[in-house]
C-alpha cells in the first residue's frame, strides 16, 4: 500500500509569495552533495496554445524566463519536464513551435538547460521532431553528487516507458551505490495518480520497482499542472505547476478541464519551482515561485 | 450498412437492426446463444456510439474499429483495454459481472482533444 503524503512540512515564505517545501527525506543528499546547489524546474509551458484558459499564453513563458533571470541567485541548471509546446497535427507547425520555444528559453541567463518531452511534444510522431531540437528523450547525468535520471513516458502514445528504456534504467542504476541520492525527472507520474485522466504511466510500476532498492530517490514530474506530493513506499513524487493553465485536483470533477482564467488574479496557479539542498540538514527543499 | 457488418450478418445468420439512439446497433440473436456484437467506431475525438447499455451476466462482443488513426479503448471499471486500429476490427469479448456506469476512454494520445474522447457503458441488473 502506498503511504500518504501527510508528514510534510509546508510553510509560507514571508514576503516571498511562494512556498518552501522540505521533503524530510533523503538525509544523504547534503552528505553526498559536495556543495549547496539548486536547480529550477519549469514544466508544461505549452508554447503555441491559445484559448480562454490563458489569454496571456503568448507572454507567459517569456514572463517565466524573466522571473527566473531575476532570481537573486541563479540555479546550477534548469530542467524542463515536458509539454514544451502545445500539440498540433501539422508536423511543420510542431517544428515551428519547438523552434520558437527554444529561441525563447535561450533568453535564460543560465545556459545549462535540460529537457524531456511531454505527450504534446512527442506522442504524435514518436518524438521525431522533438529529437531534432533537443536530442535524446531519456538520459542520465550527475550533478553535485546526485545521480539524475530523465525518463521518457510520452514518445510511446500509449504512455509507456517501454522495455528498452526500462532495461536501460536498470543497467544505468546498476552502476550506482544503493545509498546514492537519485533524482528522477519525468513528464507523467510514474504511479497511478488518476488513470481516468491519463495521469499515470502504463508501465510506471516497473520503473518504481527498479528504483525501490535505492534508498534516496525523489521523482519530479509535470503533466498535471498543479503541485501534488505523493509517496510510493519511501519514494517521494512531486508534481509541478504549469506555465499555461491549472488543472483541477485529481478526480475533483468528472472531466479534466482547465481551471478558468481569473481576470482578477491573472496567472493564478501558474509558476515554477526550485529544488535544492537547502538549509535544512540533508533535506532537499522545494520553493514555489509565481510567474507574476 | 458497412461491408464488415454485412459479413457479420451473413456469416452468423443474424438479423441485424441499426437504430438511432443510445445504442446504435443491435444484433437480434438466433436461438443459439451467440453473444451480441456491438460495433464501436473511434475517430478524433469521439466514439460512436458514446453510450452503450448492457445487461449484467449477458455476454457481449465489442467490435472496435478506428476510422482515422490508432486510438485506445480502456474501461478501468471493468478491467478492459484494447488498441483500436484503422480498418481492422478488434473484438473484445466479455460478460459484465456488475451493474453500474463505466466510462471508456482513449488512452493513446491522439491530439488536441484526446482528453475529451470518452463514452460510457451502462450495465443494468
Amino acid at each position: 500500500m502506498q503511504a500518504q503524503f501527510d508528514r510534510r512540512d509546508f510553510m509560507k515564505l514571508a514576503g516571498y509569495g511562494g512556498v518552501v517545501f522540505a521533503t524530510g527525506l533523503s538525509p544523504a543528499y547534503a552528505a553526498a552533495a559536495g556543495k549547496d546547489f539548486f536547480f529550477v524546474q519549469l514544466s508544461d509551458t505549452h508554447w503555441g496554445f491559445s484559448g480562454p484558459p490563458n489569454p496571456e499564453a503568448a507572454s507567459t513563458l517569456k514572463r517565466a524566463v524573466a522571473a527566473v533571470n531575476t532570481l537573486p541567485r541563479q540555479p546550477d541548471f534548469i530542467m524542463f519536464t515536458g509539454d514544451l509546446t502545445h500539440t498540433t497535427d501539422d508536423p511543420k507547425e510542431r517544428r515551428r513551435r519547438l523552434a520558437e520555444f527554444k529561441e525563447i528559453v535561450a533568453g535564460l541567463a543560465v545556459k545549462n538547460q535540460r529537457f524531456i518531452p511531454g505527450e504534446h511534444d512527442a506522442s504524435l510522431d514518436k518524438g521525431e521532431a522533438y529529437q531534432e531540437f533537443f536530442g535524446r528523450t531519456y538520459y542520465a547525468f550527475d550533478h553535485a553528487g546526485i545521480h539524475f535520471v530523465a525518463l521518457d513516458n510520452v514518445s510511446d502514445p500509449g504512455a509507456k516507458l517501454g522495455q528498452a528504456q526500462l532495461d536501460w534504467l536498470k543497467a544505468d542504476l546498476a552502476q550506482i551505490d544503493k545509498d546514492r541520492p537519485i533524482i528522477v525527472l519525468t513528464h507523467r507520474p510514474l504511479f497511478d495518480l488518476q488513470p481516468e485522466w491519463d495521469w499515470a504511466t502504463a508501465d510506471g510500476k516497473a520503473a518504481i520497482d527498479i528504483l525501490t532498492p535505492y534508498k534516496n530517490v525523489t521523482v519530479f514530474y509535470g503533466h498535471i499542472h498543479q503541485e501534488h506530493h505523493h509517496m510510493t513506499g519511501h519514494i517521494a513524487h512531486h508534481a509541478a505547476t504549469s506555465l499555461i493553465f491549472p488543472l483541477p485536483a485529481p478526480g475533483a470533477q468528472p472531466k479534466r478541464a482547465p481551471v478558468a482564467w481569473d481576470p482578477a488574479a491573472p496567472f493564478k496557479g501558474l509558476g515554477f519551482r526550485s529544488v535544492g539542498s537547502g538549509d535544512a540538514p540533508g533535506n532537499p527543499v522545494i520553493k514555489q515561485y509565481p510567474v507574476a | 450498412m458497412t461491408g464488415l457488418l454485412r459479413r457479420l450478418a451473413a456469416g452468423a445468420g443474424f438479423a441485424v437492426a441499426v437504430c438511432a439512439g443510445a445504442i446504435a446497433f443491435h444484433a437480434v440473436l438466433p436461438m443459439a446463444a451467440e453473444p451480441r456484437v456491438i460495433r464501436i467506431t473511434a475517430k478524433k475525438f469521439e466514439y460512436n456510439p458514446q453510450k452503450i447499455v448492457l445487461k449484467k451476466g449477458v455476454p457481449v462482443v465489442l467490435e472496435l474499429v478506428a476510422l482515422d488513426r490508432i486510438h485506445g479503448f480502456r474501461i478501468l471499471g471493468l478491467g478492459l483495454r484494447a488498441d483500436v486500429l484503422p480498418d481492422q476490427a478488434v473484438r473484445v469479448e466479455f460478460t459484465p459481472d456488475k451493474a453500474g456506469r463505466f466510462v471508456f476512454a482513449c488512452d493513446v494520445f491522439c491530439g488536441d482533444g484526446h482528453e475529451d474522447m470518452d463514452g460510457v457503458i451502462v450495465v443494468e441488473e
Side-chain angles (χ1 to χ4, degrees):
Chain A
M1 182 177 174
Q2 292 168 340
Q4 291 302 305
F5 205 90
D6 58 0
R7 54 192 175 86
R8 295 297 187 252
D9 176 25
F10 291 87
M11 53 185 170
K12 282 282 182 190
L13 270 178
Y16 201 46
V19 172
V20 62
F21 174 85
T23 71
L25 279 183
S26 309
Y29 271 87
K35 61 175 180 130
D36 185 31
F37 90 101
F38 75 102
F39 68 93
V40 162
Q41 180 189 6
L42 294 93
S43 201
D44 297 85
T45 52
H46 285 262
W47 182 253
F49 172 84
S50 64
N54 187 341
E56 293 291 338
S59 73
T60 306
L61 175 58
K62 295 169 185 173
R63 287 171 184 266
V65 167
V68 172
N69 284 344
T70 56
L71 289 174
R73 182 184 151 197
Q74 288 295 288
D76 291 31
F77 64 91
I78 295 169
M79 185 76 216
F80 289 86
T81 47
D83 282 357
L84 317 178
T85 60
H86 197 71
T87 193
T88 169
D89 286 350
D90 180 351
K92 278 188 179 176
E93 176 64 12
R94 182 175 306 119
R95 286 167 172 80
R96 191 183 71 78
R97 293 181 186 184
L98 286 163
E100 285 184 355
F101 169 87
K102 196 168 184 179
E103 185 179 335
I104 292 166
V105 302
L108 285 161
V110 172
K111 301 306 179 189
N112 187 356
Q113 301 165 13
R114 298 176 185 273
F115 306 86
I116 51 174
E119 81 278 10
H120 279 253
D121 306 306
S123 283
L124 292 186
D125 66 359
K126 295 183 166 55
E128 182 183 327
Y130 172 89
Q131 289 179 61
E132 290 171 16
F133 286 85
F134 297 105
R136 287 199 62 173
T137 58
Y138 61 90
Y139 52 89
F141 62 97
D142 295 315
H143 185 83
I146 296 174
H147 189 63
F148 289 80
V149 180
L151 297 179
D152 169 11
N153 49 11
V154 299
S155 290
D156 182 325
K160 297 186 187 78
L161 294 154
Q163 195 55 51
Q165 187 174 186
L166 289 167
D167 290 344
W168 169 84
L169 175 63
K170 195 169 184 179
D172 177 74
L173 295 183
Q175 308 167 54
I176 303 300
D177 189 274
K178 294 288 192 296
D179 293 326
R180 179 95 173 268
I182 296 169
I183 287 180
V184 179
L185 304 149
T186 75
H187 180 65
R188 299 171 179 273
L190 292 177
F191 64 96
D192 284 350
L193 173 56
Q194 186 74 16
E196 298 87 344
W197 290 2
D198 252 358
W199 289 1
T201 299
D203 51 2
K205 184 180 180 304
I208 291 173
D209 288 346
I210 292 170
L211 291 162
T212 294
Y214 297 84
K215 295 176 183 173
N216 301 293
V217 180
T218 310
V219 182
F220 294 94
Y221 66 100
H223 190 53
I224 73 165
H225 295 208
Q226 63 195 285
E227 282 195 275
H228 189 274
H229 309 282
H230 182 80
M231 300 293 292
T232 57
H234 63 282
I235 300 175
H237 303 255
H238 305 290
T241 52
S242 80
L243 287 164
I244 195 65
F245 49 73
L247 288 168
Q253 57 192 53
K255 289 274 189 177
R256 177 190 44 178
V259 174
W261 178 266
D262 181 357
F267 306 101
K268 182 181 177 184
L270 310 185
F272 60 93
R273 67 186 178 191
S274 64
V275 180
S277 50
D279 52 3
N283 295 334
V285 169
I286 301 171
K287 291 180 184 174
Q288 180 69 21
Y289 296 83
V291 175
Chain B
M1 184 185 297
T2 67
L4 179 62
L5 285 181
R6 281 194 207 97
R7 287 197 298 277
L8 273 171
F14 288 172
V16 177
V18 178
C19 66
I23 307 173
F25 170 68
H26 291 271
V28 179
L29 300 178
M31 291 186 69
E34 290 290 333
R36 175 183 163 201
V37 177
I38 300 174
R39 185 175 193 255
I40 302 172
T41 60
K43 66 177 182 179
K44 294 187 293 185
F45 300 99
E46 63 183 22
Y47 297 100
N48 187 28
Q50 295 179 338
K51 181 180 180 184
I52 297 164
V53 180
L54 304 177
K55 283 285 186 188
K56 180 182 169 183
V58 177
V60 66
V61 175
L62 304 180
E63 189 171 80
L64 309 166
V65 183
L67 302 181
D68 48 10
R69 49 153 292 142
I70 185 170
H71 293 280
F73 181 85
R74 181 175 61 183
I75 317 174
L76 282 169
L78 296 174
L80 300 173
R81 93 152 301 280
D83 286 333
V84 188
L85 308 172
D87 302 322
Q88 181 179 333
V90 175
R91 293 166 68 92
V92 177
E93 300 185 33
F94 73 107
T95 303
D97 60 356
K98 52 188 173 185
R101 290 174 60 87
F102 304 97
V103 172
F104 57 86
C106 179
D107 65 352
V108 175
F109 186 81
C110 54
D112 195 7
H114 163 73
E115 293 85 354
D116 299 322
M117 187 168 171
D118 59 20
V120 64
I121 287 181
V122 178
V123 180
E124 297 177 335
E125 288 287 356

